[in-house]
């Protein structure tokens, strides 16, 4: 049995884990390593990629900055989250704001130290990334359209750090990135629909609040049409192995998503839509393993 002190520490840990969304951080770390092995450094032996200390520092720095970003976002959105996510907010509040802010500065400082191990350029990149996340959380998040675009760009920024490190400019990378950017942009709009109650109460000028639900749904539909271009290119023009099946599955899920979107009217409906997009994103991370299974097995052996 746990003592009272041990239970208190455990509860605090889960509270902090909830604030930094540890499960998202884990997915980002896995995604960065998989993209490094299969896409960015596909000509380098797997063992060399996995044991690359510079890559490890970049991945850890990315994880630290993203975790810090969740903390500062939680700090500015605490009132809104109390309306939109009351249960999660109660868990998050078990850690004081002072503790969260202290951890925020520690994480960002650690990221800069780890980036400095690689070179000065990553230090500049992560410094700009830290500032961009803070500026988004403090100012841009409440602006329609601009906030959505910046949020999507900040989400894919950790992969840009790896992209710069390997200096791989293959066209397929940009096509993958455009698909991911569009899916994340759709997710941001779906989140705005889901969180409309809190946004209205606290005067967040999101697209559903300013322009209405119908306009938001039209914009989502337009973005989904745009995703057909990278999907078509990835399936027909590039060698992506068995990952083709993932993109066929993504098309099916997007069709289901679109059919449900125009029937959705409640928060529960929008949560379901948001979860469909989460499945597409997380499945996309692990489907990278399907790009060239035989070749990677040879590289390992």
């Amino acid at each position: 049995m746990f003592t009272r002190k041990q239970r208190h520490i455990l509860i605090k840990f889960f509270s902090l884990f909830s604030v930094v969304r540890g499960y998202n951080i884990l997915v980002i770390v896995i995604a960065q390593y998989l993209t490094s092995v299969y896409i960015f450094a596909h000509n380098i032996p797997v063992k060399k990629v996995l044991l690359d200390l510079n890559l490890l520092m970049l991945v850890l720095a990315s994880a630290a900055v993203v975790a810090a970003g969740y903390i500062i976002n939680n700090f500015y959105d605490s009132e809104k989250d109390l309306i939109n996510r009351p249960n999660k907010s109660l868990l998050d509040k078990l850690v004081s704001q002072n503790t969260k802010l202290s951890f925020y500065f520690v994480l960002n400082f650690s990221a800069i130290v780890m980036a400095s191990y690689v070179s000065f350029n990553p230090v500049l990149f992560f410094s700009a990334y830290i500032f961009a996340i803070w500026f988004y959380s403090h100012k841009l998040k409440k602006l329609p359209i601009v906030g959505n675009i910046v949020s999507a760009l900040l989400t894919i920024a950790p992969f840009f750090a790896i992209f710069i490190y390997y200096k791989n400019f293959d066209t397929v990378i940009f096509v993958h990135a455009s698909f991911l950017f569009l899916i994340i942009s759709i997710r941001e709009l779906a989140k705005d629909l889901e969180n409309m109650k809190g946004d209205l109460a606290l005067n967040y000028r999101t697209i559903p609040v300013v322009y209405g639900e119908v306009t938001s749904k039209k914009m989502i539909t337009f973005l989904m049409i745009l995703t057909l271009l990278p999907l078509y290119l990835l399936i027909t023009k590039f060698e992506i192995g068995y990952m083709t099946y993932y993109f066929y599955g993504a098309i099916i899920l997007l069709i289901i998503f679109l059919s449900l979107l125009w029937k959705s009217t409640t928060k529960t409906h929008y949560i379901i839509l948001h979860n469909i997009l989460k499945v597409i994103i997380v499945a996309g991370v692990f489907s990278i393993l399907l790009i060239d299974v035989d070749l990677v097995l040879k590289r390992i052996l």
Side-chain angles (χ1 to χ4, degrees), residues 86-148:
N87 293 331
K88 185 179 184 301
S89 292
L90 289 174
L91 177 61
D92 294 351
K93 283 182 177 295
L94 294 175
V95 175
S96 71
Q97 295 287 51
N98 286 337
T99 301
K100 291 175 190 175
L101 287 177
S102 297
F103 198 46
Y104 166 77
F105 288 111
V106 168
L107 285 169
N108 283 331
F109 178 75
S110 300
I112 297 301
V113 171
M114 288 183 283
S116 67
Y117 177 86
V118 181
S119 72
F120 185 63
N121 285 338
V123 172
L124 291 177
F125 172 82
F126 283 108
S127 297
Y129 190 25
I130 290 166
F131 174 77
I133 290 175
W134 170 81
F135 192 61
Y136 162 77
S137 299
H138 183 55
K139 292 286 186 183
L140 300 180
K141 188 170 187 178
K142 296 183 180 182
L143 300 178
I145 302 177
V146 173
N148 297 82

Side-chain angles (χ1 to χ4, degrees), residues 236-253:
T236 63
K237 303 296 181 181
F238 298 105
E239 293 294 328
I240 56 170
Y242 293 112
M243 195 179 183
T244 301
Y245 295 111
Y246 159 75
F247 288 114
Y248 283 127
I251 291 171
I252 293 169
L253 285 176

Side-chain angles (χ1 to χ4, degrees), residues 86-222:
N87 293 331
K88 185 179 184 301
S89 292
L90 289 174
L91 177 61
D92 294 351
K93 283 182 177 295
L94 294 175
V95 175
S96 71
Q97 295 287 51
N98 286 337
T99 301
K100 291 175 190 175
L101 287 177
S102 297
F103 198 46
Y104 166 77
F105 288 111
V106 168
L107 285 169
N108 283 331
F109 178 75
S110 300
I112 297 301
V113 171
M114 288 183 283
S116 67
Y117 177 86
V118 181
S119 72
F120 185 63
N121 285 338
V123 172
L124 291 177
F125 172 82
F126 283 108
S127 297
Y129 190 25
I130 290 166
F131 174 77
I133 290 175
W134 170 81
F135 192 61
Y136 162 77
S137 299
H138 183 55
K139 292 286 186 183
L140 300 180
K141 188 170 187 178
K142 296 183 180 182
L143 300 178
I145 302 177
V146 173
N148 297 82
I149 294 172
V150 172
S151 178
L153 289 172
L154 290 174
T155 302
I156 64 174
F159 299 98
F160 188 67
I162 310 300
F163 167 75
I164 294 172
Y165 177 62
Y166 284 112
K167 296 181 174 65
N168 186 335
F169 301 101
D170 288 349
T171 306
V172 67
I173 292 173
F174 295 98
V175 181
H176 272 288
S178 64
F179 172 75
L180 180 60
F181 174 77
L182 288 167
I183 293 296
I184 290 172
S185 297
I186 293 169
R187 188 194 66 174
E188 291 302 313
L189 283 167
K191 279 169 61 179
D192 285 344
L193 287 167
E194 177 188 335
N195 297 328
M196 239 180 30
K197 185 178 178 182
D199 291 338
L200 274 167
L202 295 167
N203 198 31
Y204 276 58
R205 291 176 56 80
T206 60
I207 292 170
V209 170
V210 176
Y211 303 107
E213 287 185 65
V214 174
T215 299
S216 294
K217 291 179 180 182
K218 286 180 180 178
M219 291 181 71
I220 289 174
T221 303
F222 175 70

Side-chain angles (χ1 to χ4, degrees), residues 14 19 34 52 90 103 115 134 148 166 193 253 256 258-259 280:
F14 281 116
V19 171
L34 288 178
D52 186 346
L90 289 174
F103 198 46
W134 170 81
N148 297 82
Y166 284 112
L193 287 167
L253 285 176
I256 294 170
L258 191 59
S259 65
I280 292 174

Side-chain angles (χ1 to χ4, degrees), residues 272-292:
I272 293 170
L273 293 174
H274 186 187
N275 286 334
I276 291 173
L277 294 171
K278 277 185 179 179
V279 169
I280 292 174
I281 293 169
V282 174
V285 169
F286 291 99
S287 71
I288 295 171
L289 289 163
L290 304 175
I291 289 178
D292 200 335

Side-chain angles (χ1 to χ4, degrees), residues 16 39 52 60-61 70-71 82 90 92 109 125 144 165 168 177 220 224 235 237 248 250 257 260 266 291 299:
L16 199 56
I39 300 174
D52 186 346
L60 291 178
Y70 282 128
I71 291 174
L82 199 57
L90 289 174
D92 294 351
F109 178 75
F125 172 82
Y165 177 62
N168 186 335
I220 289 174
M224 290 190 68
I235 290 171
K237 303 296 181 181
Y248 283 127
F257 176 95
L260 293 175
T266 67
I291 289 178
R299 287 164 65 195

